[in-house]
Amino acid sequence: DAGITQSPRHKVTETGTPVTLRCHQTENHRYMYWYRQDPGHGLRLIHYSYGVKDTDKGEVSDGYSVSRSKTEDFLLTLESATSSQTSVYFCAIRGGPTVNEKLFFGSGTQLSVL
Amino acid sequence: DQQVKQNSPSLSVQEGRISILNCDYTNSMFDYFLWYKKYPAEGPTFLISISSIKDKNEDGRFTVFLNKSAKHLSLHIVPSQPGDSAVYFCAASGSQGGSEKLVFGKGTKLTVNP
């Protein structure tokens, strides 16, 4: 299994509070991704990173920010959580830029915003 | 605008029979296609892929077929086993979207009955 750890695995928070989800990898992979999975929507890309301090937006980036200060860590922050951000969040890593390099996913973080 | 469509949210088959999962895409620039499998409470895992230069790729019980003219691909599982019960995501990538990003469908939940 690829060395990806997401923390926390479960979180319940209140509307308006800041939340940070952490993705840690031990593979030294360059590319890291944050996806959210929702019923009826599948997997949607929030943000991704192609190197330390190099990040870009995905299709559902509003309300989210990311940071990558080290190769191994990619943080996803909800500045002010809303109920629409209740979801399962998956981190993924890839060694190279092309899809021939497989995407490996973490086990997910279940976030509930009340 | 959904670029990758999995129009069947669920599929139920008997053990030993063939499972056929379908996926349609709209972006003619997509040139690489993948299937991921997801069990509950786990992250998605790579299953099989196909490049647009091929029309078939086989890996054990799993075969993916690509019909470029119809912008359609399908995943065949023969014979189906109860352990194949999972959600299957179709994903696509291409030069227009940037090869570092995958676009996922909404998923099809496969249930294989003993």
Side-chain angles (χ1 to χ4, degrees), chain B residues 50-112:
Chain B
I50 188 167
S51 164
S52 61
I53 62 174
K54 293 186 173 182
D55 54 18
K56 176 183 173 182
N57 189 27
E58 203 169 344
D59 184 2
R61 296 185 298 113
F62 302 91
T63 302
V64 56
F65 295 92
L66 176 62
N67 183 332
K68 290 185 288 294
S69 61
K71 294 191 178 69
H72 176 84
L73 62 154
S74 60
L75 175 68
H76 293 212
I77 306 174
V78 184
S80 301
Q81 300 174 353
D84 296 329
S85 297
V87 177
Y88 290 78
F89 291 101
C90 173
S93 182
S95 55
Q96 187 177 37
S99 59
E100 68 273 11
K101 291 186 283 186
L102 287 177
V103 179
F104 284 86
K106 295 182 179 181
T108 296
K109 182 177 182 180
L110 173 66
T111 301
V112 181

Side-chain angles (χ1 to χ4, degrees), chain A residues 9 31 33 35 37 40-43 45 48 57-59 90 94 97-100 102-108, chain B residues 31-34 36 38 41-46 87 89 92-94 98-107:
Chain A
R9 289 297 311 276
Y31 291 80
Y33 304 78
Y35 286 88
Q37 184 197 3
H41 290 278
L43 290 160
L45 181 64
Y48 68 101
K57 296 180 180 180
E59 60 179 307
F90 288 101
R94 173 184 284 151
T98 69
V99 291
N100 292 324
K102 296 173 189 174
L103 202 62
F104 293 98
F105 286 84
S107 299
Chain B
D31 56 12
Y32 200 82
F33 305 89
L34 306 91
Y36 278 80
K38 184 187 179 303
E42 295 183 11
T45 56
F46 170 79
V87 177
F89 291 101
S93 182
S99 59
E100 68 273 11
K101 291 186 283 186
L102 287 177
V103 179
F104 284 86
K106 295 182 179 181

Side-chain angles (χ1 to χ4, degrees), chain A residues 52-114:
Chain A
V52 173
K53 296 186 179 169
D54 291 323
T55 65
D56 204 351
K57 296 180 180 180
E59 60 179 307
V60 289
S61 59
D62 287 349
Y64 301 95
S65 63
V66 290
S67 66
R68 191 163 177 207
S69 58
K70 298 184 290 185
T71 298
E72 57 266 35
D73 290 324
F74 192 31
L75 304 180
L76 177 71
T77 298
L78 292 65
E79 302 289 348
S80 178
T82 66
S83 59
S84 65
Q85 293 175 312
T86 292
S87 185
V88 181
Y89 291 86
F90 288 101
C91 174
I93 63 175
R94 173 184 284 151
T98 69
V99 291
N100 292 324
E101 300 270 353
K102 296 173 189 174
L103 202 62
F104 293 98
F105 286 84
S107 299
T109 294
Q110 172 71 61
L111 176 67
S112 297
V113 184
L114 305 179

